[in-house]
Amino acid sequence: MKYGVLLLSVLSLMFSGCATKLMPSEDIEAPRLYASLISVLKDPQLPANSKEKYDAIRALMKKVDFTFTRETKTINEFLSPADAIIDLPEAVDRRITFNYQYRNNYVRLTFFTYRNFVVRVDITEK
């Protein structure tokens, strides 16, 4: 009986954690729906450490779940390649990082890739 309760608790935590109201980044409607925020993030006149880009990425992350990113082309639909920091540009497996900072706060998105595929996403926000 004790193990049944434990199993039920674990399963309920797993399924409650899976429910999200965020749109997956791979959804084909996401770039169209959030075009105004994306245009700020892709603006070449704004540095990555500007208040505008910091506010835009925070607002976009409240609407889009970047952990669902599966291809590097999706990254390019949302974020500016000019803001990307790539650890080994010529390697097959790379780490692509976007760091949007304003004052003492930041949002860091790190995409771990293999060829054109995203295999893991880490998001840090402070």
Side-chain angles (χ1 to χ4, degrees), residues 19 25 28 42-43 58 61 76-78 124:
S25 60
I28 60 172
K42 288 186 157 269
D43 187 340
R58 295 234 15 230
M61 286 177 49
N76 293 330
E77 290 177 356
F78 287 96
T124 308

Side-chain angles (χ1 to χ4, degrees), residues 22-26 38 41 56-70 74-75 77-79 107 109-111 118 120-123:
L22 299 176
M23 179 176 274
S25 60
E26 292 290 335
I38 293 168
L41 292 168
I57 194 65
R58 295 234 15 230
L60 190 60
M61 286 177 49
K62 291 177 182 174
K63 310 225 181 266
V64 175
D65 189 347
F66 285 98
T67 62
F68 279 93
T69 306
R70 299 296 176 248
T74 304
I75 299 169
E77 290 177 356
F78 287 96
L79 307 172
V107 173
L109 296 96
T110 304
F111 299 91
V118 176
R120 192 174 99 214
V121 180
D122 285 343
I123 299 173

Side-chain angles (χ1 to χ4, degrees), residues 25-43:
S25 60
E26 292 290 335
D27 191 309
I28 60 172
E29 293 294 315
R32 183 186 60 80
L33 290 173
Y34 306 113
S36 61
L37 293 171
I38 293 168
S39 69
V40 172
L41 292 168
K42 288 186 157 269
D43 187 340

Side-chain angles (χ1 to χ4, degrees), residues 7-124:
L7 179 62
L8 185 60
S9 298
V10 170
L11 288 174
S12 67
L13 284 173
M14 281 177 35
F15 288 115
S16 66
C18 293
T20 180
K21 294 182 181 183
L22 299 176
M23 179 176 274
S25 60
E26 292 290 335
D27 191 309
I28 60 172
E29 293 294 315
R32 183 186 60 80
L33 290 173
Y34 306 113
S36 61
L37 293 171
I38 293 168
S39 69
V40 172
L41 292 168
K42 288 186 157 269
D43 187 340
Q45 302 301 314
L46 295 172
N49 63 346
S50 66
K51 181 177 181 352
E52 293 85 359
K53 283 197 176 182
Y54 174 76
D55 289 343
I57 194 65
R58 295 234 15 230
L60 190 60
M61 286 177 49
K62 291 177 182 174
K63 310 225 181 266
V64 175
D65 189 347
F66 285 98
T67 62
F68 279 93
T69 306
R70 299 296 176 248
E71 296 184 56
T72 56
K73 72 176 185 156
T74 304
I75 299 169
N76 293 330
E77 290 177 356
F78 287 96
L79 307 172
S80 172
D83 294 337
I85 301 166
I86 303 172
D87 64 342
L88 301 167
E90 302 301 319
V92 175
D93 54 335
R94 302 172 294 168
R95 184 173 54 221
I96 304 170
T97 303
F98 294 86
N99 192 47
Y100 298 100
Q101 180 181 348
Y102 182 67
R103 295 189 177 158
N104 292 329
N105 302 310
Y106 65 89
V107 173
R108 181 178 303 128
L109 296 96
T110 304
F111 299 91
F112 296 85
T113 66
Y114 181 79
R115 298 186 192 258
N116 292 335
F117 300 100
V118 176
V119 294
R120 192 174 99 214
V121 180
D122 285 343
I123 299 173
T124 308

